[in-house]
Each structure stands twice: as structure tokens, then as C-alpha cells.
Amino acid sequence: MSSLRTAKNILELIVRLQQPLGVDKKQIAEAFEVHPKTIRRYLTLLQEVGFEVAKHPSGRIYLSENNPHLSFEHASFFSQEECLLIKEALSHYLKDSRDVNKALEKIRKAN
């Protein structure tokens, strides 16, 4: 299997593991067209890099809510200066837009 396909499968697995009901290993293996042991290796890799994989009594697997890799609340995509510049530009040029107000609120919360 190519490393690109492996990376795609692992990223898709992360997304699927966040579903409220989680996933069934056998079903995900079929969907990815890989052996269930490959899914087990993917899960081991995710755990090694810090994801908390949990198993429901039904056997379905999911990502625990305690995963710091999935939390962006403390992430800042812009520096303080960039936030100020964006805020000034948006408020100056697009004063009455509801979308601008939403964007400005997100910038305020981020910094």
C-alpha cells in the first residue's frame, strides 16, 4: 500500500472515530479495502502519537473526548498584530456585514 493511501486512510479513520457511535473495525477495514489487522495497526499508531482510542461495550471504537489533538480552543492562527490588522480592515471596509461581525468575534475570542 502506498504511503499516500495509508495517510489518507489514517486521516479518514480519525474523522470516522469522532462519530457519536464510533466505528466497527471490520466495517472500516472493508470500507478501506484493507485487512482488519491493518486497522489495528492504524489504531496503535494513533495511540502512539497521543490519541486516546476507546472501545464501547458493543465493540465499536471511538476517540475519547480527552484528545488534545482535536481541540483547537487554544490554537491561534494569527499573531496579535495580525488579528488587529484583520479586525481594522474588516471593520473599516465592511461595517454592516453580519459575517464580518462573526469573524471579528472569533478573532476577539482567539486572542
Side-chain angles (χ1 to χ4, degrees):
M1 180 182 312
S2 76
S3 58
L4 183 61
R5 182 170 174 215
T6 299
K8 178 193 164 293
N9 284 352
I10 291 172
L11 291 172
E12 188 171 338
L13 181 60
I14 292 169
V15 170
R16 291 185 183 208
L17 287 170
Q18 293 177 74
Q19 295 174 358
L21 298 176
V23 296
D24 177 80
K25 277 189 225 180
K26 186 176 179 183
Q27 289 176 341
I28 202 78
E30 290 173 5
F32 289 177
E33 298 178 353
V34 298
H35 195 278
K37 286 183 181 180
T38 302
I39 299 301
R40 196 172 6 196
R41 285 192 294 272
Y42 292 168
L43 293 169
T44 299
L45 175 68
L46 290 175
Q47 290 171 321
E48 287 173 355
V49 298
F51 283 93
E52 290 184 30
V53 179
K55 188 173 184 179
H56 190 270
S58 68
R60 297 179 71 82
I61 50 175
Y62 60 96
L63 289 180
S64 164
E65 293 179 11
N66 302 331
N67 279 293
H69 300 298
L70 302 175
S71 173
F72 295 100
E73 65 187 44
H74 299 296
S76 181
F77 300 104
F78 300 105
S79 70
Q80 197 91 23
E81 291 170 339
E82 290 168 329
C83 286
L84 289 172
L85 287 172
I86 292 168
K87 180 181 173 184
E88 287 176 24
L90 289 173
S91 15
H92 179 72
Y93 292 107
L94 304 167
K95 292 181 183 178
D96 297 326
S97 170
R98 190 169 16 145
D99 291 334
V100 170
N101 290 332
K102 287 180 186 177
L104 290 173
E105 186 59 34
K106 286 181 182 179
I107 290 171
R108 281 187 207 106
K109 286 180 182 179
N111 290 297

